Amino acid sequence: MNIFYVLNGKSMKQFALIIIVSFFTAWFLYMENIVQVPVFSSKDGPKAVYKGEKNIALTFNIGWGDEKAEPILDILHKKGVSATFFLAGSWAERHPDTVNRIIKEGHEIGILGYEYIDYSETKKEKVVQDLSKAKTAFEKLNIKDISLARAPTGHFNQETLNITNQYNYTLVHWSIDSKDWTNPGKKKIIKNISQAKKGDIILLHASDSAKQTANALPSIIENLKNKHLNFVTVSSMISNAHSKSKEIN
């Protein structure tokens, strides 16, 4: 009899565990479907957007280089596509004509810091100094209405969120990484983006280190158009949308 009760108790515990796990899985999937702009954040405080509700957003990071930005702008102009460019302040200072072209052709500009440093492993004072220096660089170029920022290496923590929030920037991550910076080949870059769907924010690069992005871009745009996705800037994607929180690990 004692053995019977011990085995029965284990079965009941296993059954209860399955019910609990199933409930939370169903709840999580439900929340994933109803929220509109997922974000990284702590339970309280500022948030970092990585996805929207509808449309699609191409984002390009530029930290250095003189050759790749213009061909990418040529393609976007030819295809009639708007994108968001996250620019390092140091790069913008050296390429004012390209920065002006980005704005003139209807693209959006976000801040990619000033130097290429890892905000998650940098002291608060250095992050503040880097953002402040970048902000000043763009103000000298008469660009004063920037509302978006991205951590230069993509790594950030709650302190980064707090600092960017103090500057009234929304920190933007991504939901699809093209991995174009690894130069895996045109076909691989296109494949990495092939699963994109409405609401995705796609990470691309227009620095000289990303040598294959321009070659892959026309096919990327056509593939997304064939999915009946509209290209918008990140600000347009996230405007007037609800959001959810997700704790930073």
Side-chain angles (χ1 to χ4, degrees), residues 24 41 57 61 71 81 93 102 128 148 154 164 191 196 198 202 223-224 227 235:
F24 280 105
S41 77
N61 287 5
V81 170
E93 286 178 334
I102 290 171
V128 170
L148 305 178
T164 52
K191 183 179 179 180
K198 66 178 182 178
I202 298 173
N223 290 345
L224 295 174
K227 292 184 178 183
S235 288

Side-chain angles (χ1 to χ4, degrees), residues 10 30 52 57 63 65 87 98 100 115 123 132 147 196 204 214 246:
K10 287 183 178 179
Y30 171 74
L87 310 178
T98 305
N100 287 334
E115 300 176 9
K123 290 183 178 181
S132 178
S147 62
L204 292 153
K246 187 174 183 180

Side-chain angles (χ1 to χ4, degrees), residues 36-37 49 51-59 82-86 106-109 145 147-148 170 172 199-201 230-242:
Q36 294 170 310
V37 181
V49 174
K51 195 172 184 180
E53 180 191 12
K54 56 184 180 180
N55 301 316
I56 198 94
L58 297 180
T59 68
S82 295
T84 299
F85 285 80
F86 289 91
H107 305 296
E108 179 176 35
I109 288 179
D145 56 350
S147 62
L148 305 178
T170 297
V172 179
D200 278 324
I201 296 174
N230 296 319
F231 295 90
V232 297
T233 62
V234 172
S235 288
S236 177
M237 174 180 280
I238 67 177
S239 63
N240 300 318
H242 300 292

